[in-house]
Amino acid sequence: MDPFSDISTFVRAAETGNFTRAARVLRLTPSAVSKSVARLEAELGVKLFHRSPRQITLTGDGEFFYAACRQSMSGVEAARSLLSGDAQPWCGKLRLAVPVSFGQYVVAPALGAWLAAHPGLEVELVLTDRHVDMTAERFDLAVMLGEVPDSRLVARALPPHRFVTVAAPSYLRQQGVPRRPEDLSGHRCLRYVMAGSGRFRAWTYTRQRQHYRHVPLGPLASDHAAVLLALAEAGQGILQAPRYVVSAGLAAGRLVPVLDDHACTGAPLAVVYGHARQASARTRLMVEFLLSLGDQL
C-alpha cells in the first residue's frame, strides 16, 4: 500500500470536512476514504479527526499533521511544475479570506473570469473583517486590513482604500448639500459598525493638510456595506464608503458625490500568505490576481 495515498486522502478529507465529499472528489467510496484515514491513524498512533454523523473536524494532532502535509505537498507540486516546464499551476484548492466589502464588490466579480482561465483550481472564498489565524484556520492566503499581526507571514501591499462620501439626489434635495465636513453634524449619516469592536467607524477628511474627523450620527447603522448602500440609494442618509462599494450607484446616477474636494483614505491593505519559499504555484498565482485588483481601490 502506497503510504502517500493515505496522506492525500487525509488532506482531502480535512479540506472538505466530510468523508462523503472527499470520496466524491477522489472518486472513491466513503468507506474507502474512512478506511484510508483509519489506516493512517493506526500507523501514526494518534486520532486525526473528531467524527460525527454529519462532519469531521481535525483534532490537535490532526491540525499539526495537516499543516505539515500541506507544506510538503505544496513543495512537491512546485518542484514538479518547475521540472515539467508547465506554465500552468497544479490543480488544487485555495482557501482565501478577504474583508467582506472587498470580497463582495472587488474579488467576487473578477473571480469567475480568473477561474475560467485556470481550470482545475478550486477557491473557497471566506468573507470576514477580522484577522484570521492563517495556520489554525487552514487559509492559504488572505487580504488583511491594517497591520499584519504575524511577522512570519509575507505581506504584499495593496493601495489603501479610497473613500467617497455620497448621497441620493432625493436626500440632497430635501436636506441640502453639505459643503464642509463640519456640515455633516446637521445630517443623517449612515453608520458602519466595525467587526469585533462594535464601534462606529469615524469619517476622516483631509484638505490642504488640514484633517477633520467626524463621528457620524443618525438613526440607521449596519455592519454590512451592502445594507448601508441600499439605504443611501433609497435616500435615507449620507454614506461614506470605499469607492468600489458605491461606484455602480454613482455611474447610474442613484448616488452623487458630496465633499469630493476632500481626500479620504482608509487603512492599508495587504495580501498575506506563508513564507514565499513554501508557497505553492497556485498560491503565487492567486497573489498576483489579488494584487492586480489594486487599481479598483
Side-chain angles (χ1 to χ4, degrees):
M1 179 64 65
D2 179 5
F4 293 105
S5 174
D6 290 341
I7 290 175
S8 298
T9 302
F10 159 71
V11 168
R12 183 57 73 176
E15 291 175 340
T16 58
N18 182 284
F19 285 158
T20 300
R21 287 193 293 267
R24 193 179 303 123
V25 172
L26 295 167
R27 298 183 180 179
L28 298 171
T29 65
S31 175
V33 172
S34 179
K35 289 178 181 178
S36 177
V37 171
R39 192 165 49 241
L40 185 60
E41 288 179 322
E43 177 188 343
L44 297 172
V46 298
K47 186 177 180 181
L48 297 172
F49 289 112
H50 299 294
R51 293 163 171 81
S52 73
R54 293 183 177 272
Q55 68 176 4
I56 54 175
T57 57
L58 288 166
T59 64
D61 289 329
E63 292 277 5
F64 173 80
F65 191 60
Y66 173 81
C69 289
R70 282 302 310 144
Q71 179 177 324
S72 298
M73 290 174 70
S74 295
V76 171
E77 290 170 356
R80 291 181 63 179
S81 181
L82 286 172
L83 290 175
S84 68
D86 188 356
Q88 292 293 327
W90 287 93
C91 299
K93 179 180 177 180
L94 286 165
R95 183 166 159 82
L96 167 66
V98 301
V100 175
S101 298
F102 181 73
Q104 181 177 357
Y105 291 99
V106 179
V107 178
L111 192 56
W114 185 82
L115 283 173
H118 304 92
L121 288 178
E122 302 174 31
V123 174
E124 181 181 344
L125 180 63
V126 176
L127 305 186
T128 177
D129 288 331
R130 64 181 177 84
H131 280 181
V132 299
D133 185 322
M134 300 280 289
T135 301
E137 299 179 67
R138 305 197 306 277
F139 284 104
D140 296 290
L141 64 167
V143 174
M144 293 187 180
L145 275 166
E147 184 178 351
V148 176
D150 190 339
S151 61
R152 296 170 297 179
L153 298 172
V154 177
R156 296 185 60 182
L158 282 162
H161 287 75
R162 280 181 286 175
F163 280 79
V164 292
T165 307
V166 298
S170 60
Y171 174 88
L172 297 175
R173 284 195 297 269
Q174 295 174 5
Q175 305 296 329
V177 179
R179 303 297 180 184
R180 304 174 304 157
E182 292 85 348
D183 296 339
L184 291 169
S185 59
H187 285 269
R188 295 199 307 268
C189 295
L190 301 170
R191 299 181 290 172
Y192 178 75
V193 183
M194 295 186 293
S197 69
R199 296 195 299 267
F200 299 118
R201 186 184 64 80
W203 298 5
T204 58
Y205 297 94
T206 302
R207 185 183 185 188
Q208 297 177 349
R209 299 184 180 180
Q210 297 295 314
H211 303 288
Y212 183 83
R213 184 176 184 273
H214 173 67
V215 178
L217 298 174
L220 296 169
S222 176
D223 61 345
H224 281 275
V227 173
L228 298 176
L229 175 64
L231 292 169
E233 292 185 349
Q236 295 302 307
I238 296 177
L239 172 65
Q240 188 189 78
R243 184 184 65 149
Y244 54 74
V245 171
V246 301
S247 58
L250 288 170
R254 298 188 298 271
L255 297 169
V256 294
V258 297
L259 302 174
D260 56 349
D261 57 343
H262 291 73
C264 312
T265 57
L269 283 167
V271 180
V272 180
Y273 55 102
H275 198 282
R277 287 179 295 181
Q278 300 169 356
S280 67
R282 61 177 176 266
T283 296
R284 293 194 297 271
L285 189 68
M286 174 59 81
V287 168
E288 295 306 319
F289 164 67
L290 293 170
L291 292 174
S292 73
L293 302 176
D295 59 357
Q296 299 184 46
L297 299 176

